[in-house]
């Protein structure tokens, strides 16, 4: 449960995770969100790959292209 006590590379908070999903709330406020289930799934796949790449110091663009 407290992995951050054993491994200093593990953060003791989840701010990065919460920041990663914040884009959904911003998108909802700006455009009324996504109108179909397929559109929501596509958006989340692209956003998830790009955000994970950013957190691991990889190119977001390369991560999104890998989905295609």
């Amino acid at each position: 449960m407290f992995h951050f006590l054993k491994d200093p590379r593990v953060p003791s908070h989840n701010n990065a995770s919460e920041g990663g999903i914040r884009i959904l709330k911003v998108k909802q406020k700006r455009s009324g969100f996504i109108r179909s289930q397929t559109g929501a799934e596509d958006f989340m796949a692209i956003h998830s790959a790009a955000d994970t790449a950013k957190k691991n110091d990889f190119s977001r663009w390369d991560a999104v292209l890998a989905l295609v």
Side-chain angles (χ1 to χ4, degrees), residues 48-60 63:
S48 177
D51 197 46
T52 300
K54 175 186 170 190
K55 290 177 183 175
N56 290 299
D57 295 324
F58 293 117
S59 166
R60 289 181 184 180

Side-chain angles (χ1 to χ4, degrees), residues 33-61:
F33 206 54
I34 301 166
R35 290 169 173 61
S36 71
Q37 183 66 29
T38 304
E41 290 170 0
D42 292 345
F43 175 80
M44 286 307 303
I46 292 169
H47 174 68
S48 177
D51 197 46
T52 300
K54 175 186 170 190
K55 290 177 183 175
N56 290 299
D57 295 324
F58 293 117
S59 166
R60 289 181 184 180
W61 180 248

